Amino acid sequence: MNLFDHELRLYADPSRVVVRPFHLAWGGAAGMPSRTERLVGEVLAMSPGETRDQLELVLRDFEARHWQTRRVFMTRYDQIEDMMHLDGATISDEKRQLIGAYFCHEYSYAAAALMNPSAVPHFDQSGMPEGSLRILMSLRAVGEGHISSVAFREGIISDGNELTLAPEPPFATAADSPGHGEEALPQGPVTVHRHRDSTLSGTVIFPITRAQSKGLEDLRLVQFTHDDGAVEWLGTYTAYNGSNIGSELMRTRDFRAFDLVPMTGSAARNKGMALFPRKIGGRYMTIGRQDGENLFLLQSDSLTHWDEGAMLLRPQFPWELVQIGNCGAPIELDEGWLLLTHGVGAMRKYSIGAVLLDKDDPGKVVGRTREPLLAAADQDREGYVPNVVYTCGAVKHGDTLFMPYGIADSSVGFAFVAIKELLATM
């Protein structure tokens, strides 16, 4: 089988930074002000000249590195004002900006690793030449403290399977959830919004709830078509709080507002769920790994509630004997549902394979690759986690499969696979 590996690579980049809230403890020892109260008091006690000098120093260091830095400081001040019940009308703009600056910090969201991409058709296909497809990718970016967030990149695949990525803007911005500061992490579903002036390629979605506090991991995007023909982009991901994991669902129709919704049911405690792009037989379906070793087919009447499913695949070949899992949403073909899989073999070496499921009854396996499409030994093996290749979703483009994939949890590569050749190997 001929797999074309594109020369383009994406790497972890410590220069990609955003401004994040810096949280200080609220509540001091008996009779003593908290650090937050003390710090605000120190700024309020500064003379106008000293305030101006200190603010100019901060802006000289950081204003050129971020988008609308002064507005970011003011937004952060507003959160502190609400928390401390300050009278903003009596505080100068310069003091408010400086207070906001003291409660912010610069965060390099992709300094440690960039990995595990998924790809879907872009929501905007206007102006595309015949045979070309605009795509968008999600990426798992890992920064300080091993905290994972979701980043995006947009691009175009030409009719000759040439990939061109839209340039990253000089400034990255964090999606915002109005009314939710770090002082009181919310629970349950939340909605975050892309900054109105930010491109999708410059947007990062950070953990915001208690369940997500240590990471949003491995988003598997799918373009989902509802029974009424309405299209929605859905993404399953793992929410991690430092000790527990759970599956959650991202929902968006415009990539401006993103609903982050916890899933319920006994299967939602597991990683790696991948949704089919439409209902089958009147039910939602997903591929999951309930026991950490095998693949299961799950069915539900709700997108956000999943109970245990039926066994679909067990490890069979040497390159996958340790465990198997899905590598993104099943892709609909005339021949059936194409599902990319990952397998773990000796020395914890990861490989990517594929199976074909029956179109009307996805519980039936029609075909399966005996050898992997892509293995860690064929690519760069060294990295943050060596001997790993992994994808969270590919996209069909004509007769070709476009597959972005993570390499050693450190970089992202891109491959094109002829679908007919892939099916012939099963």
Side-chain angles (χ1 to χ4, degrees):
M1 183 187 63
N2 182 28
L3 180 147
F4 171 64
D5 198 31
H6 201 282
E7 62 182 9
L8 181 63
R9 291 285 186 273
L10 299 180
Y11 295 93
D13 183 358
S15 71
R16 300 295 296 174
V17 291
V18 295
V19 177
R20 297 285 291 148
F22 177 54
H23 175 59
L24 293 174
W26 175 254
M32 296 293 292
S34 68
R35 290 177 67 191
T36 299
E37 292 171 317
R38 180 187 60 77
L39 187 53
V40 171
E42 294 279 5
V43 177
L44 293 178
M46 289 182 183
S47 68
E50 185 181 6
T51 302
R52 186 175 303 110
D53 290 344
Q54 292 302 316
L55 180 60
E56 287 179 355
L57 178 62
V58 172
L59 293 173
R60 186 162 61 247
D61 285 342
F62 296 102
E63 190 168 28
R65 291 169 59 86
H66 299 282
W67 180 254
Q68 297 182 336
T69 309
R70 293 172 185 264
R71 180 183 292 180
V72 172
F73 290 165
M74 290 295 279
T75 299
R76 186 61 176 137
Y77 165 80
D78 289 341
Q79 295 171 349
I80 301 300
E81 179 183 289
D82 290 342
M83 185 180 69
M84 293 187 61
H85 308 292
L86 300 173
D87 183 4
T90 64
I91 303 173
S92 69
D93 282 353
E94 289 180 334
K95 284 187 182 292
R96 286 188 287 173
Q97 290 179 45
L98 187 57
I99 289 172
Y102 272 106
F103 290 91
C104 288
H105 72 127
E106 198 173 63
Y107 184 82
S108 180
Y109 61 88
L114 191 69
M115 54 188 176
N116 301 357
S118 68
V120 290
H122 199 281
F123 55 90
D124 179 13
Q125 295 296 329
S126 61
M128 281 293 94
E130 184 177 353
S132 294
L133 177 72
R134 184 176 283 121
I135 62 165
L136 66 87
M137 293 185 296
S138 68
L139 300 145
R140 178 179 170 185
V142 183
E144 177 186 348
H146 197 76
I147 294 176
S148 296
S149 57
V150 178
F152 299 97
R153 287 298 296 269
E154 299 158 289
I156 294 174
I157 305 172
S158 71
D159 58 358
N161 289 331
E162 180 57 41
L163 172 65
T164 303
L165 293 183
E168 286 183 304
F171 303 104
T173 59
D176 183 38
S177 181
H180 290 142
E182 280 197 1
E183 284 68 32
L185 293 175
Q187 300 187 72
V190 295
T191 300
V192 297
H193 299 268
R194 173 158 60 105
H195 192 284
R196 63 180 180 270
D197 296 324
S198 178
T199 66
L200 190 57
S201 292
T203 297
V204 186
I205 299 179
F206 285 98
I208 191 168
T209 70
R210 294 181 186 177
Q212 308 162 355
S213 56
K214 295 301 181 180
L216 305 173
E217 301 180 356
D218 299 344
L219 179 67
R220 288 163 161 81
L221 283 175
V222 62
Q223 181 178 312
F224 190 91
T225 303
H226 292 276
D227 290 343
D228 62 0
V231 175
E232 185 178 15
W233 280 262
L234 306 176
T236 52
Y237 61 92
T238 301
Y240 178 57
N241 67 3
S243 57
N244 299 310
I245 63 169
S247 288
E248 297 190 354
L249 182 69
M250 175 184 291
R251 311 185 67 161
T252 183
R253 292 182 184 271
D254 58 6
F255 284 86
R256 283 284 176 185
F258 305 82
D259 296 325
L260 308 180
V261 185
M263 291 183 177
T264 58
S266 56
R269 68 178 184 274
N270 302 300
K271 287 186 173 185
M273 299 174 70
L275 288 164
F276 283 74
R278 62 174 174 84
K279 281 184 176 180
I280 303 170
R283 306 200 78 193
Y284 300 107
M285 290 193 182
T286 188
I287 303 291
R289 197 181 68 204
Q290 295 172 191
D291 58 5
E293 180 180 352
N294 307 293
L295 275 176
F296 293 77
L297 177 67
L298 289 66
Q299 303 184 43
S300 178
D301 295 321
S302 167
L303 279 169
T304 57
H305 183 90
W306 298 91
D307 288 317
E308 306 301 317
M311 176 74 72
L312 180 67
L313 285 171
R314 299 179 186 273
Q316 180 177 348
F317 303 113
W319 55 274
E320 60 182 12
L321 285 182
V322 174
Q323 71 181 45
I324 56 174
N326 76 71
C327 273
I331 297 167
E332 188 167 9
L333 307 176
D334 292 338
E335 296 85 352
W337 295 100
L338 178 62
L339 175 68
L340 294 177
T341 65
H342 74 263
V344 182
M347 289 295 291
R348 198 174 173 263
K349 173 185 167 183
Y350 275 66
S351 302
I352 297 174
V355 300
L356 186 68
L357 307 178
D358 185 86
K359 198 163 188 176
D360 298 320
D361 182 4
K364 295 180 180 179
V365 178
V366 177
R368 186 171 182 175
T369 54
R370 291 181 174 273
E371 300 293 336
L373 283 70
L374 194 65
D378 302 329
Q379 303 300 319
D380 307 284
R381 299 181 63 166
E382 286 74 31
Y384 194 59
V385 180
N387 301 307
V388 171
V389 289
Y390 195 90
T391 181
C392 285
V395 64
K396 180 179 180 294
H397 175 51
D399 296 328
T400 304
L401 191 70
F402 168 68
M403 182 179 69
Y405 61 95
I407 304 168
D409 282 5
S410 299
S411 62
V412 173
F414 308 95
F416 292 91
V417 185
I419 294 174
K420 287 185 179 180
E421 290 185 22
L422 172 57
L423 295 179
T425 66
M426 295 185 178

